[in-house]
Amino acid sequence: MALITADIQERLFSLLIEQGLLTQQKISDIKSEAQSEGKSPLMVISDNELIDDEVLVHGIAQVLGLPYVNLLDKTIDQKILTLIPQDIAERFMAVAVAEIDNRVAVAMIDGNNVQAVDYLANLVQRPLKVYMTSEAGVRHVLEQYHTDLSSVDEAAAASQREAVIEEARDIKTIIQDSPISRALSTILEYAVKSRASDIHVEPLEKALRIRCRVDGVLREVMQLPKSIEPALVSRIKILSNLKIDEHRIPQDGQFAVKVAGKEVDLRIAISPVVWGEQVVIRLLDKTSNSFDLEQMGYAGRALRMIRKGIKRPNGMVLTSGPTGSGKSTSMYALIKEIKSDAINIVTLEDPVEYKMDGVNQIQVNPDVGLTFANGLRSILRQDPNVVMVGEIRDKETAALAVQAALTGHLVFSTLHTNSSSGVLPRLLDMEIEPFLIASTVNTIIGQRLVRRVSPERDAYWSNPIETANIVATVGHLLPKTKADITKVSEDLGYKDLPLAGQTAYTLVKGKDSPLTPNGYSGRAGLYEVMDVNEAIQELIIKRATSAEIQRKAVEHGMITMRQDGYLKALTGITTLEEVNRVTSDTA
């Protein structure tokens, strides 16, 4: 925050009183608290959250006669951002945000610092237009600096030179002396800042390709010389405590790093391929997941069905979907929803992706005989109320999970099927009797992940084909009259739904930028939640097909994944193209 003199402070207090944000008595209390605690009055206001920090900074800017900008939801073009190098931006807490005529707009937390302004003007060799902003706003923009991958190329070149000079040397020694460590750190930092979930290190015939999966889509970020592959792979093996001299069989490992101020767990999978060894690194950011059902995209009827299912004292709640569709995250969110000191929750996972306080988590280890089935037998002797089995993979695990549900436990688990209705025939394939499935399964969740449209977006009217698809998919769900809008929106969980029967609907698409590839940023879930009621139970006992079960569930009010996706597109969360892409194999 800017350096505030006593005179400026009093003028700020007068402004806050005038705006009705504080009273004279409250300001007297703030001053007394500040004096007793040895703090500034503004720090007391901020610490006690009496006024939002953005409002406070706006007030200071007004008193100082400086313009104010809120950066918390702004994405800055890299070309403008890098006018001020990252280290200098962090030192002065000042960032370049725009170009206005020949001037550079700079937002800083101390717009009154004349020396800093002069230094930055000399640095960019152009006059500045200074704005005041909050510390949180500056830090939000600082996170947007892209890691410079050119340092990886430099490390690769240096590694090549060392490999030529020290050809006969042991690989482990080369790595300790070489810049490969810096190269790996830079790749990891780039992946974290890009919000990547996976890094793929793939050997080609004459190069080493690095790809990152961002928001579920892989894209190439660089290619390195083929000669550095052994050193880079060995460095990863050493950090993961794997055998560096084993190149014939797959190896799995893990390690944790602190990158860009975040603690990130890394899961490593190395396997031999035709041109060398492929490495896939799964990044698990401990700080990015709140495991909140609403934030994940559950809404309306689906959310109500979920909460109804997990309130039951026993039975099974199953989540289905392909690999990478967020099933494990949903399981963690359900556990967080019911977690309390009054119940014992035990999980059996492979691997334990996120560590949760107050939950007894067990890591599957087939090498020592700790499989899902054996682990589940052990868990049932630990007096659990709730059991979470990472995945039902075989008949034995399925039978044990059903027995656990029958004996008074609430069981959470996942299966790989295309839709919620596909779970029931899958359990039949595992030789679970239909009457047992009908009596134990409470709720089934089918899910997919779609990319969210970025905040920088454009609205447009749907074309005739898009309109026809919207009408066919969700036309019957949309409100028929303006009087119905509030009721239908509350029922479905989406605000301001458009009316049915329109000739065109408002849709949105994001603006493509380095931080928002193809106009997307982040992901949201599409969900269908099936409540296994009496009608569905009768179909299960008759060994009905998944299509029959799906039709009956829809008759009873289930919103399908595709319908949920179209509602999310109509409310500006995602696009129809994205929904069609991920739900093409569902009804």
Side-chain angles (χ1 to χ4, degrees):
M1 204 170 281
L3 186 63
I4 306 297
T5 64
D7 174 54
I8 292 170
Q9 185 175 281
E10 290 307 317
R11 282 160 55 199
L12 174 63
F13 286 154
S14 298
L15 176 65
L16 296 175
I17 291 170
E18 184 184 316
Q19 297 291 327
L21 295 169
L22 291 175
T23 63
Q24 187 64 58
Q25 179 58 48
K26 192 66 182 173
I27 286 171
S28 300
D29 295 343
I30 289 165
K31 287 178 178 177
S32 300
E33 186 177 338
Q35 193 169 3
S36 65
E37 294 186 8
K39 296 179 179 177
S40 73
L42 296 188
M43 199 178 290
V44 171
I45 292 173
S46 180
D47 290 349
N48 294 333
E49 299 179 356
L50 300 174
I51 295 175
D52 182 76
D53 282 351
E54 294 299 323
V55 174
L56 195 58
V57 173
H58 195 171
I60 294 168
Q62 201 169 327
V63 169
L64 293 173
L66 290 170
Y68 159 82
V69 62
N70 185 337
L71 296 177
L72 289 179
D73 60 349
K74 297 290 187 293
T75 301
I76 311 302
D77 188 288
Q78 286 292 309
K79 200 165 72 173
I80 293 166
L81 192 60
T82 50
L83 289 172
I84 299 175
Q86 186 173 359
D87 58 335
I88 292 171
E90 287 172 348
R91 192 197 318 165
F92 290 105
M93 291 302 285
V95 287
V97 293
E99 290 180 298
I100 304 169
D101 299 325
N102 189 42
R103 295 192 294 174
V104 176
V106 173
M108 52 200 303
I109 65 173
D110 189 358
N112 245 3
N113 189 335
V114 178
Q115 289 177 319
V117 172
D118 287 345
Y119 177 85
L120 294 171
N122 286 328
L123 179 73
V124 300
Q125 292 292 296
R126 282 160 69 183
L128 305 184
K129 169 75 172 172
V130 177
Y131 289 81
M132 273 200 70
T133 191
S134 66
E135 182 179 343
V138 171
R139 294 200 183 281
H140 172 72
V141 174
L142 285 173
E143 288 177 1
Q144 296 175 30
Y145 274 89
H146 274 190
T147 302
D148 185 6
L149 287 173
S150 62
S151 62
V152 179
D153 289 320
E154 291 165 15
S159 176
Q160 280 181 290
R161 290 193 297 273
E162 287 191 10
V164 170
I165 296 164
E166 302 288 351
E167 216 167 83
R169 224 156 150 213
D170 181 87
I171 189 69
K172 192 168 180 178
T173 313
I174 292 175
I175 287 158
Q176 289 168 349
D177 298 341
S178 77
I180 280 294
S181 300
R182 292 200 307 275
L184 179 59
S185 296
T186 306
I187 291 168
L188 290 174
E189 189 175 345
Y190 177 85
V192 170
K193 287 187 174 180
S194 303
R195 298 173 292 98
S197 60
D198 301 86
I199 303 168
H200 289 235
V201 181
E202 300 170 328
L204 308 177
E205 184 179 5
K206 296 178 180 177
L208 186 66
R209 180 169 64 173
I210 310 293
R211 294 197 291 171
C212 288
R213 189 180 294 280
V214 179
D215 295 335
V217 178
L218 271 172
R219 56 193 176 105
E220 186 175 309
V221 296
M222 69 186 309
Q223 286 200 8
L224 296 172
K226 178 72 172 173
S227 58
I228 78 156
E229 181 203 329
L232 186 62
V233 174
S234 291
R235 179 63 185 158
I236 294 168
K237 285 181 177 179
I238 288 167
L239 290 170
S240 313
N241 290 321
L242 301 177
K243 296 175 183 176
I244 63 169
D245 58 345
E246 179 56 78
H247 308 288
R248 299 163 302 166
I249 60 172
Q251 296 188 77
D252 293 335
Q254 63 184 62
F255 64 97
V257 290
K258 191 162 187 177
V259 181
K262 295 179 176 179
E263 277 190 32
V264 182
D265 279 342
L266 307 177
R267 301 277 184 269
I268 314 299
I270 300 176
S271 56
V273 292
V274 172
W275 299 114
E277 289 182 279
Q278 180 190 23
V279 182
V280 177
I281 303 173
R282 169 66 58 89
L283 292 90
L284 299 169
D285 182 354
K286 295 178 180 179
T287 61
S288 66
N289 237 317
S290 64
F291 299 119
D292 182 270
L293 290 171
E294 283 96 338
Q295 285 182 16
M296 287 164 57
Y298 286 98
R301 296 179 193 175
L303 188 59
R304 291 193 293 275
M305 288 295 102
I306 287 266
R307 287 185 168 145
K308 176 185 171 186
I310 63 178
K311 279 179 182 172
R312 294 177 183 172
N314 52 47
M316 296 175 74
V317 177
L318 300 174
T319 305
S320 68
T323 303
S325 60
K327 300 188 298 295
S328 297
T329 306
S330 285
M331 292 287 100
Y332 283 115
L334 298 182
I335 286 173
K336 184 187 172 189
E337 187 89 2
I338 63 169
K339 190 176 75 167
S340 80
D341 291 338
I343 60 173
N344 179 23
I345 303 173
V346 186
T347 75
L348 192 62
E349 305 170 59
D350 184 23
V352 175
E353 293 188 4
Y354 295 96
K355 297 172 180 68
M356 297 184 80
D357 286 338
V359 178
N360 300 300
Q361 295 171 277
I362 299 172
Q363 168 76 54
V364 168
N365 187 354
D367 293 342
V368 296
L370 181 52
T371 61
F372 277 115
N374 290 339
L376 190 47
R377 285 193 190 90
S378 168
I379 283 175
L380 296 177
R381 293 193 290 271
Q382 294 175 18
D383 185 32
N385 300 95
V386 179
V387 175
M388 195 267 264
V389 182
E391 187 184 341
I392 294 177
R393 294 178 179 171
D394 52 46
K395 298 174 185 177
E396 191 178 7
T397 308
L400 286 166
V402 167
Q403 288 302 318
L406 284 171
T407 53
H409 304 91
L410 183 59
V411 179
F412 296 152
S413 194
T414 69
L415 283 100
H416 286 275
T417 61
N418 287 336
S419 64
S420 58
S421 57
V423 165
L424 303 166
R426 180 86 180 92
L427 289 173
L428 288 172
D429 287 344
M430 290 182 174
E431 297 179 6
I432 305 299
E433 291 295 332
F435 71 90
L436 289 177
I437 299 172
S439 59
T440 55
V441 179
N442 298 340
T443 310
I444 305 170
I445 306 163
Q447 66 181 77
R448 294 285 191 284
L449 291 177
V450 289
R451 292 177 289 176
R452 288 179 183 268
V453 176
S454 66
E456 295 292 323
R457 57 179 61 189
D458 294 317
Y460 69 97
W461 290 105
S462 59
N463 62 38
I465 294 173
E466 289 171 330
T467 304
N469 284 338
I470 290 167
V471 170
T473 307
V474 294
H476 63 290
L477 296 173
L478 297 175
K480 304 295 184 287
T481 65
K482 287 186 178 179
D484 294 337
I485 289 176
T486 304
K487 181 185 174 186
V488 173
S489 293
E490 284 177 1
D491 180 42
L492 297 178
Y494 296 106
K495 291 181 181 177
D496 305 321
L497 286 170
L499 290 173
Q502 294 180 196
T503 54
Y505 292 89
T506 304
L507 300 171
V508 294
K509 57 183 175 183
K511 293 181 179 178
D512 190 23
S513 76
L515 279 173
T516 57
N518 301 314
Y520 295 105
S521 177
R523 289 194 285 179
L526 305 186
Y527 303 100
E528 58 183 28
V529 180
M530 181 189 296
D531 180 36
V532 183
N533 54 30
E534 287 184 17
I536 302 288
Q537 286 173 344
E538 285 176 16
L539 288 178
I540 295 169
I541 291 166
K542 292 175 183 174
R543 294 179 178 265
T545 65
S546 57
E548 291 172 311
I549 292 168
Q550 178 94 351
R551 278 196 295 274
K552 182 61 72 174
V554 170
E555 279 175 32
H556 284 258
M558 183 181 84
I559 305 294
T560 67
M561 280 183 277
R562 184 175 287 251
Q563 289 170 340
D564 189 37
Y566 272 57
L567 292 172
K568 282 183 165 76
L570 288 171
T571 49
I573 294 170
T574 187
T575 62
L576 291 183
E577 293 86 351
E578 184 68 2
V579 175
N580 291 334
R581 178 179 73 85
V582 303
T583 62
S584 58
D585 61 340
T586 65

